[in-house]
């Protein structure tokens, strides 16, 4: 294999990170906007909670999870930035189409299309960040990138609520989709790949070899399923909590948007930044902290979500829900960094895609659908409160996530791959 020459970065790392973050914000804007629009969409298209849960989770996750692996493998072998830009254009186009849906099946198919586009966005972005930032700054950079989750979730909630109230729910999808289509060509011009060594065809790492490397590492499986259990609850609550606020707390769509948006923006931003910062500070001395930090956060998250969701007072519910909205996504920076360091540099995007395949099939595919199905099953007994109890029932998966992360900490040092010198 050809030796890698010292790398000259084609762009300022912070500028690249800013554009990656902007694309990631749009990624989650296009996901979360569905949650705040649940009630008008269900009323317009006559959907059950189970059907809406399938649209919010399963429809998106099916192709999003599966196509992430080949698209990231393509990114490792061609241009990571081009794959991200192309993906941004595709998911934005399908987001706009969601605003034209006239039936359950049409909206389901358009959400499949959004998933196809977003499949190529995250894993190559992780790899670009790992290319641009040295190990001692990597968790913080991935933490900044992961701000796209709370900023997108919070922004999508607020924007969706106001646009739906001023115009209608269809306009919200159309506006968000057009924004992404405008950003895609600008992104492609600004974000460039770090030069990589020319590798002979015979020396290229086939996908099967990447998977074999990961399959031999217990840390990968434990972290992947720990994150999946957390995501099952997180994605489910992100989709359904606005509806809980409207049905159980009597809020209108603007009030629910402001309440939920403030939780996500304040709590989520603090949690993501804290996760990246603490992982860099603590993980540099002991890699086990990349697993310990998420485990501790998940154990604290569960009781706060429980008491917040079951509270009868909005004034009490907000601070109670603020804490878990910070801690339940603290894992993003530490776990993403750990996965990047379980393989050598040429395999990073593919490794991230393998992780995201598991995380999204379990978390995104199951979480929203499970809460919706449990809600429908409980409706006869609990009426409008069924959704609240379904959300609370899902919280037990945080205990499973914490246990798996603690087990991962026992093998993480052995599985770690040190960065090659530049």
């Amino acid at each position: 294999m050809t030796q890698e020459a010292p790398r000259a970065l084609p762009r300022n790392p912070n500028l690249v990170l800013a554009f990656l973050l902007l694309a990631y914000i749009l990624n989650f804007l296009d996901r979360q906007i569905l949650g705040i629009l649940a009630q008008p969409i269900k009323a317009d298209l006559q959907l059950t909670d189970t059907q809406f849960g399938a649209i919010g989770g399963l429809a998106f996750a099916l192709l999003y999870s599966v196509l992430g692996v080949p698209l990231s493998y393509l990114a490792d072998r061609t241009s990571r930035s081009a794959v991200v830009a192309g993906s941004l254009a595709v998911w934005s186009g399908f987001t706009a189409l969601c605003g034209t849906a006239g039936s359950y099946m049409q909206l389901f198919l358009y959400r499949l299309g959004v998933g196809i586009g977003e499949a190529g966005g995250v894993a190559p972005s992780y790899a670009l960040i790992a290319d641009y930032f040295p190990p001692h700054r990597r968790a913080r950079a991935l933490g900044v990138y992961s701000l796209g989750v709370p900023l997108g979730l919070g922004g999508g909630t607020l924007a969706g609520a106001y646009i739906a109230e001023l115009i209608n729910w269809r306009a919200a999808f159309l506006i968000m989709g057009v924004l992404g289509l405008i950003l895609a060509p600008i992104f492609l011009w600004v974000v460039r790949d770090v030069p990589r060594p020319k590798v002979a065809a015979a020396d290229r790492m086939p996908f099967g070899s990447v998977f074999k490397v990961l399959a031999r590492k217990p840390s990968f499986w434990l972290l992947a399923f720990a994150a999946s259990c957390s995501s099952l609850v997180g994605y489910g609550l992100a989709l359904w909590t606005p509806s809980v606020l409207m049905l159980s707390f009597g809020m209108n769509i603007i009030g629910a948007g402001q309440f939920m948006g403030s939780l996500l923006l304040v709590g989520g931003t603090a949690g993501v930044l804290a996760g990246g910062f603490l992982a860099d500070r603590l993980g540099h001395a002991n890699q086990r902290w990349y697993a310990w930090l998420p485990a501790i956060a998940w154990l604290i998250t569960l009781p706060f979500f429980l008491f917040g969701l079951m509270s009868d007072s909005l004034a009490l519910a907000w601070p109670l829900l603020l804490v878990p909205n910070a801690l339940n996504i603290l894992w993003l920076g530490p776990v993403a960094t750990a996965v990047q360091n379980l393989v050598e540099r040429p395999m990073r995007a593919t490794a991230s895609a393998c992780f995201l395949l598991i995380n999204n099939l379990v978390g995104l595919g199951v979480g929203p659908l499970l809460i919706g199905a449990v809600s429908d099953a409980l409706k006869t007994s609990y009426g409008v409160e069924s959704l609240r109890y379904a959300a609370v029932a899902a919280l037990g998966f945080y205990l499973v996530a914490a246990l798996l992360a603690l087990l991962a900490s026992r093998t993480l040092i052995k599985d770690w791959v040190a960065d090659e010198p530049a």
Side-chain angles (χ1 to χ4, degrees):
M1 184 179 293
T2 306
Q3 293 295 314
E4 183 176 354
R7 289 178 279 160
L9 300 183
R11 291 285 187 189
N12 181 293
N14 292 326
L15 178 63
V16 169
L17 182 59
F19 270 82
L20 290 170
L21 172 60
L22 187 56
Y24 204 32
I25 290 171
L26 286 177
N27 182 309
F28 273 87
L29 271 170
D30 293 346
R31 297 190 203 186
Q32 182 58 20
I33 200 170
L34 195 67
I36 193 62
L37 300 176
Q39 296 309 306
I41 292 174
K42 284 169 56 186
D44 193 359
L45 302 183
Q46 298 295 300
L47 305 179
T48 65
D49 286 348
T50 303
Q51 287 177 317
F52 189 77
I55 290 171
L58 186 63
F60 182 89
L62 281 174
L63 293 180
Y64 174 68
S65 304
V66 174
L67 289 180
V69 175
L71 285 174
S72 297
Y73 184 57
L74 176 67
D76 273 340
R77 297 184 63 158
T78 57
S79 168
R80 290 166 178 165
S81 59
V83 169
V84 176
S87 298
L88 171 58
V90 172
W91 90 59
S92 298
F94 276 104
T95 296
L97 285 173
C98 287
T100 69
S103 67
Y104 165 67
M105 188 51 62
Q106 280 186 342
L107 187 54
F108 188 94
L109 292 175
Y110 291 152
R111 293 302 290 179
L112 277 177
V114 174
I116 291 171
E118 293 192 11
V122 181
S125 296
Y126 283 168
L128 280 165
I129 291 168
D131 285 345
Y132 270 89
F133 290 88
H136 67 280
R137 294 179 58 201
R138 193 167 294 155
R140 268 172 290 182
L142 284 165
V144 170
Y145 174 71
S146 296
L147 285 174
V149 178
L151 293 178
L153 292 176
T157 300
L158 289 168
Y162 279 102
I163 296 172
E165 183 71 13
L166 292 172
I167 310 175
N168 55 46
W169 67 266
R170 297 179 184 278
F173 284 108
L174 291 168
I175 291 170
M176 294 302 114
V178 169
L179 285 176
L181 291 171
I182 293 171
L183 177 63
I186 303 172
F187 179 97
L188 185 59
W189 179 73
V190 171
V191 179
R192 307 288 175 82
D193 282 57
V194 171
R196 283 175 277 171
K198 298 294 183 182
V199 180
D203 293 330
R204 286 176 180 160
M205 186 70 68
F207 168 74
S209 298
V210 179
F211 186 77
K212 285 179 182 178
V213 170
L214 292 171
R216 292 193 296 266
K217 300 196 172 187
S219 302
F220 171 77
W221 297 104
L222 291 165
L223 287 174
F225 282 104
S228 298
C229 289
S230 172
S231 294
L232 185 153
V233 191
Y235 282 124
L237 292 181
L239 183 73
W240 287 115
T241 299
S243 293
V244 172
L245 293 172
M246 287 184 250
L247 296 172
S248 296
F249 290 88
M251 303 185 78
N252 60 25
I253 192 169
I254 293 294
Q258 293 172 338
F259 188 96
M260 186 72 179
S262 63
L263 287 175
L264 293 166
L265 290 170
V266 177
T269 299
V272 168
L273 289 176
F277 176 78
L278 290 172
D280 272 344
R281 289 293 298 271
L282 300 172
H284 184 67
N286 186 343
Q287 286 99 337
R288 290 188 180 93
W289 278 106
Y290 290 105
W292 286 340
L293 279 171
I296 294 168
W298 289 325
L299 289 173
I300 300 172
T301 290
L302 193 158
F304 277 92
F305 260 138
L306 173 62
F307 291 119
L309 288 170
M310 294 304 298
S311 173
D312 292 327
S313 165
L314 283 171
L316 180 60
W318 195 89
L320 285 172
L321 292 174
L322 180 66
V323 174
N325 271 284
L327 295 178
N328 77 329
I329 55 175
L330 183 143
W331 67 268
L332 289 168
V335 173
T337 302
V339 171
Q340 292 290 293
N341 283 278
L342 293 177
V343 296
E344 295 177 357
R345 182 173 169 252
M347 297 184 280
R348 282 174 176 162
T350 308
S352 292
C354 291
F355 165 77
L356 291 169
L357 171 65
I358 299 169
N359 183 63
N360 290 315
L361 275 177
V362 176
L364 184 54
V366 176
L369 176 60
L370 178 63
I371 292 177
V374 172
S375 174
D376 278 337
L378 296 177
K379 259 191 175 56
T380 302
S381 301
Y382 296 100
V384 295
E385 292 294 306
S386 65
L387 193 56
R388 190 205 304 240
Y389 288 114
V392 167
L395 297 176
F397 284 97
Y398 279 128
L399 286 177
V400 181
L403 175 61
L404 292 173
L406 290 172
L407 291 173
S409 70
R410 302 172 63 181
T411 58
L412 196 54
I413 292 177
K414 178 175 66 71
D415 293 339
W416 199 267
V417 176
D419 277 74
E420 71 275 11

